[in-house]
């Protein structure tokens, strides 16, 4: 599932192709991809003729503010992709929504499993949207300090892993970067969030920002199922830098002991029992 670095990669790749562009036509070939709307025609009528101001990201969602005061919300779900293409480029299987732009480019929404969706939502400010208003802080914002992380974790008896993946606590982190941030911080993901010492919170804060930043630089993680592709249909490169995620049984890159994989409270956790306490 695309997480913050993958979605941010797509945002950076598409923004200069779509900002200040008018949507001249739109096609929907799978109703489920626009299921927030009464029918695909309603979505098409609301989007055609609109100009896209820019491309923003909130957590794992992309938000394209439009000139009528609404926004185009794109959620990639488990397997969604957003591609910038030329009209003559081959159309990938499972392409459900195509927006033709005034500059001749196409924005294509592709999603084999269609857990994601594209929708017109009211307003430009994600904080006031029903869809995104409950999201927690953005971990790469300057405002996200160790003190803020301390507040997020305080009093929570759930595991650190569960809190990191809770979008209401922190926006944008899923199983890949929860596993990796805990490893980099040397903290067992099985511990309760409230059990972290102030020094461990500082380490975890630094680890979260470090892993997300480096993954964006590597255009995200394409894990074993290779579902994630960037906006140019290329895989990311960060999977080569992972320490524990999907490395079960392989030697830890630090201590050489096998990386462990354990189902825990309905989640699947990768960690090194030797390096993480
Ligand atoms: Zn280790």
């Amino acid at each position: 599932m695309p997480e913050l670095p993958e979605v941010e990669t797509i945002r950076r790749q598409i923004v200069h192709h779509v900002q200040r562009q008018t949507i001249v036509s739109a096609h929907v070939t799978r109703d489920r991809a626009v299921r927030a709307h009464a029918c695909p025609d309603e979505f098409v009528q609301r989007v055609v003729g609109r100009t896209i101001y820019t491309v923003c990201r909130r957590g794992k969602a992309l938000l394209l503010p439009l000139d009528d005061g609404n926004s185009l919300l794109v959620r990639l779900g488990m397997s969604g992709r957003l591609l910038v293409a030329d009209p003559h480029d081959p159309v990938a299987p499972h392409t459900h929504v195509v927006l033709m732009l005034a500059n001749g480019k196409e924005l294509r929404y592709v999603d084999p499993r269609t857990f994601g969706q594209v929708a017109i939502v009211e307003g430009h400010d994600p904080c006031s949207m029903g869809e995104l208003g409950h999201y927690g802080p953005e971990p790469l914002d300057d405002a996200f300090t160790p003190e803020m992380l301390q507040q997020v974790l305080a009093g929570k008896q759930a595991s650190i892993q569960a809190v990191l993946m809770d979008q209401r606590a922190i926006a944008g982190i899923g199983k890949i970067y929860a596993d990796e941030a805990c490893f980099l911080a040397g903290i067992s993901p099985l511990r309760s969030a409230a059990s972290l010492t102030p020094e461990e919170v500082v380490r975890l804060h630094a680890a979260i920002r470090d892993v997300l930043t480096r993954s964006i630089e590597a255009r995200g993680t394409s894990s074993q199922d290779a579902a994630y592709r960037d906006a140019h249909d290329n895989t990311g490169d960060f999977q080569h830098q992972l320490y524990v995620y999907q490395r079960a049984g392989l030697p830890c890159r630090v201590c050489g002991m096998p990386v462990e994989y354990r189902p825990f409270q309905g989640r699947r956790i990768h960690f090194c029992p030797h390096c993480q306490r």
Side-chain angles (χ1 to χ4, degrees):
M1 177 178 197
E3 303 179 26
L4 187 157
E6 291 76 39
V7 178
E8 177 63 18
T9 297
I10 292 169
R11 188 196 72 78
R12 293 180 183 189
Q13 289 177 330
I14 68 173
V15 63
H16 60 277
H17 292 293
V18 308
Q19 68 183 356
R20 295 184 294 280
Q21 291 300 315
T22 299
I23 299 164
V24 294
S25 65
H27 293 300
V28 177
T29 49
R30 177 125 200 242
D31 295 8
R32 186 170 147 77
V34 294
R35 59 188 174 275
H37 295 271
C39 63
D41 282 350
E42 192 230 327
F43 170 81
V44 169
Q45 283 171 15
R46 291 184 64 182
V47 85
V48 170
R50 301 277 61 85
T51 297
I52 299 167
Y53 283 149
T54 188
V55 185
C56 309
R57 180 189 55 74
R58 182 76 175 102
K60 304 175 194 173
L62 287 167
L63 203 61
L64 286 65
L66 304 173
D67 63 348
D68 63 352
N70 294 324
S71 298
L72 186 66
L73 174 67
V74 182
R75 290 177 180 278
L76 298 173
M78 296 297 288
S79 56
R81 303 174 191 167
L82 200 59
L83 303 175
V84 171
D86 289 311
H88 58 265
D89 289 339
V91 176
H94 312 289
T95 298
H96 302 318
V97 180
V98 178
L99 305 179
M100 273 70 74
L101 306 176
N103 62 1
K105 292 285 183 185
E106 291 185 359
L107 197 56
R108 298 178 181 175
Y109 176 72
V110 182
D111 193 352
R113 299 172 71 181
T114 327
F115 287 123
Q117 60 173 309
V118 180
I120 303 291
V121 296
E122 276 185 34
H124 289 168
D125 178 9
C127 294
S128 60
M129 290 174 186
E131 295 82 359
L132 306 175
H134 60 289
Y135 276 24
E138 284 288 330
L140 293 180
D141 274 3
D142 289 344
F144 184 72
T145 59
E147 292 72 29
M148 183 177 278
L149 179 59
Q150 175 78 64
Q151 286 171 19
V152 165
L153 302 175
K156 291 195 170 73
Q157 293 309 310
S159 69
I160 299 163
Q161 176 84 7
V163 174
L164 290 179
M165 289 176 60
D166 180 354
Q167 301 306 295
R168 296 166 299 180
I170 304 173
I173 298 175
K175 56 188 181 178
I176 303 172
Y177 301 102
D179 277 350
E180 292 295 308
C182 287
F183 178 85
L184 292 171
I187 295 168
S188 168
L190 311 177
R191 285 172 55 188
S192 78
S195 73
L196 264 61
T197 65
E199 187 258 344
E200 287 174 327
V201 172
V202 169
R203 287 210 317 261
L204 183 59
H205 174 267
I208 290 168
R209 290 169 67 115
D210 174 59
V211 71
L212 296 176
T213 303
R214 287 189 295 114
S215 181
I216 293 169
E217 287 167 2
R219 292 177 302 99
T221 299
S222 294
S223 47
Q224 284 160 9
D225 54 11
Y228 162 71
R229 301 246 170 181
D230 69 13
H232 304 305
D233 206 21
N234 297 313
T235 54
D237 281 332
F238 196 66
Q239 60 275 18
H240 305 299
Q241 298 184 50
L242 298 174
Y243 282 93
V244 286
Y245 181 71
Q246 290 194 340
R247 295 196 71 247
L250 296 173
C252 169
R253 296 187 198 277
V254 173
C255 73
M257 303 281 283
V259 171
E260 220 176 273
Y261 167 77
R262 190 184 295 181
F264 181 71
Q265 294 178 351
R267 302 175 193 279
R268 295 166 178 182
I269 292 180
H270 303 80
F271 66 108
C272 174
H274 183 73
C275 293
Q276 294 175 255
R277 298 300 171 96

